[in-house]
Amino acid sequence: MRKNLIASVAFLLASSTAVLAQSATDGKVKIGILNDQSGVYADFGGKSSVEAAKMAVEDFGGKVLDVPVEIVDADHQNKADIASNIARQWYDTEQVDAIMELTTSSVALAVQAIGKDKKKIDIVTGAATTDLTGKACSPYGFHWAYDTHALAVGTGGALVKQGGDSWFFLTADYAFGYSLEQQTSDYVKASGGTVVGAVRHPLSSQDFSSFLLQAQSSGAKVIGLANAGLDTSNAIKQAAEFGITQGGQHLAALLFTLAEVHGLGLEAAQGLTLTEGYYWNRDDESRAFAKKFFARTGKMPNMIHTGTYSAVTQYLKAVQKAGTDETEAVAKQLHEMPVDDVFGRGGTVGANGRMIHDMYLLQVKKPSESKEPWDYFNVLATIPGKEAYIDPAKSGCDLVK
């Protein structure tokens, strides 16, 4: 009898271990969306990215490995120290498995460093610096929607080809701005253009007058706005007051999305050239997704929102395929699995964590060209992923063999 009892207990323990190996380690899968929800990038990503993440979970069925999937979110206020504290709390005490979105490059770099130390996954859709998959890469870090190199190749390359061969930069004074200015400068120079100067402004600046006057007096054909969100919108509005474009200079919005065009309005934004990784009105599949998103948020999605939907979806697919939410196993699947959804069609993930997918060169329509609300862009060109992104072998990431 004793032998039978021991055998039964051993069988039950073995069975439970087998079940655990094919399930979430703590009975749930928990994803954190950490971004700017009240500041300069609130429309860029914000609460709409949280809704995109929730959409992804619902479309996946609400569960993975027969356990519920939970989305939590927080506002990092564009401060790396606040973001770091939230990330540590989520990882250490709240059993968050992965953190995503991470608008603002300084924030994304800080959180990715914490994830690397704690062996936790992050998937960045909101930040742009190529350092995330370069010198600061992590075996558990992934960069999804776009980066500064893709923006430089798209917008910078297009304007140089159109004759905009001399540039002056208005740059946000933090990691993202520096990276975007550097990547675009390198691309402009490689294409035969010149950079005549640059000036840096603080994040969330309200007055761009002195910066714009320096740009205007430089005589550059193109003023590159190496900033984003409300900073870009405010710079464009104030540039109009100085008559900069009327004087023959061209404004290049190096990171400008559908959300910011909507906020600025077609009258002010018309003619701007920009680069995104997604446009809602491109085909039937993108329109169907956008319609569902609009019903929840009252707005059409940009590449940050749709990229977040894609990142959450791919993470859940990786958990399902790995049979566990254990970090090493899921990261392995994220590196190996192709990406094929409404955002990343035919996408692949490099050894440095960079998701390589096509980007789109867009031009803002004139008000007379727009046929319906949110119909803001003409698609000028598709930029193949291999052209848009740095070859992982040349990225500076020490994970690439």
Side-chain angles (χ1 to χ4, degrees), residues 71-268:
I71 297 291
V72 295
D73 69 274
D75 182 356
H76 60 48
Q77 301 172 47
N78 293 311
K79 296 178 180 177
D81 58 341
I82 291 176
S84 297
N85 289 336
I86 293 169
R88 288 192 182 95
Q89 180 180 335
W90 278 357
Y91 286 148
D92 294 342
T93 67
E94 297 187 23
Q95 299 172 315
V96 169
D97 297 294
I99 297 177
M100 303 186 193
E101 221 268 40
L102 295 167
T103 306
T104 312
S105 291
S106 53
V107 163
L109 289 166
V111 172
Q112 180 156 293
I114 292 169
K116 184 177 183 179
D117 181 59
K118 294 182 179 294
K119 295 188 176 181
K120 293 286 190 176
I121 287 171
D122 70 273
I123 305 181
V124 178
T125 57
T129 178
T130 52
D131 285 351
L132 287 161
T133 50
K135 63 183 181 181
C137 69
S138 161
Y140 318 114
F142 299 86
H143 202 179
W144 218 249
Y146 72 107
D147 65 22
T148 50
H149 187 269
L151 300 176
V153 170
T155 308
L159 290 174
V160 172
K161 288 176 183 176
Q162 292 172 12
D165 54 7
S166 61
W167 286 62
F168 184 97
F169 288 93
L170 222 71
T171 302
D173 193 11
Y174 74 104
F176 151 70
Y178 314 151
S179 182
L180 185 52
E181 178 189 325
Q182 185 62 55
Q183 296 279 352
T184 309
S185 294
D186 290 347
Y187 202 81
V188 166
K189 292 173 185 176
S191 302
T194 59
V195 176
V196 300
V199 64
R200 291 174 175 173
H201 68 81
L203 183 66
S204 302
S205 182
Q206 298 299 311
D207 184 5
F208 287 88
S209 56
S210 64
F211 310 123
L212 287 167
L213 285 171
Q214 290 180 62
Q216 189 175 38
S217 63
S218 73
K221 294 178 183 178
V222 179
I223 300 172
L225 303 177
N227 49 22
L230 289 177
D231 281 342
T232 307
S233 297
N234 287 335
I236 291 170
K237 288 176 185 176
Q238 291 174 37
E241 296 170 9
F242 286 103
I244 286 177
T245 54
Q246 294 91 321
Q249 289 174 298
H250 190 99
L251 293 177
L254 295 171
L255 177 50
F256 209 54
T257 75
L258 185 79
E260 289 74 52
V261 171
H262 183 73
L264 191 58
L266 284 182
E267 189 64 41

Side-chain angles (χ1 to χ4, degrees), residues 313-392:
T313 300
Q314 192 74 358
Y315 176 77
L316 295 177
K317 288 179 179 178
V319 170
Q320 186 175 61
K321 189 168 183 180
T324 176
D325 63 354
E326 191 275 323
T327 296
E328 297 281 0
V330 176
K332 183 176 185 295
Q333 293 300 328
L334 284 170
H335 277 105
E336 293 177 356
M337 291 168 53
V339 182
D340 193 11
D341 55 33
V342 68
F343 178 81
R345 297 171 186 171
T348 59
V349 177
N352 61 345
R354 173 68 257 173
M355 201 271 274
I356 299 168
H357 60 95
D358 292 348
M359 297 289 288
Y360 303 99
L361 182 65
L362 308 167
Q363 186 169 52
V364 181
K365 292 182 175 182
K366 298 175 182 178
S368 59
E369 295 175 325
S370 180
K371 298 176 182 177
E372 60 181 305
W374 297 90
D375 174 34
Y376 294 159
F377 296 146
N378 288 313
V379 180
L380 300 181
T382 298
I383 306 163
K386 289 185 178 181
E387 292 180 18
Y389 296 103
I390 298 171
D391 181 342

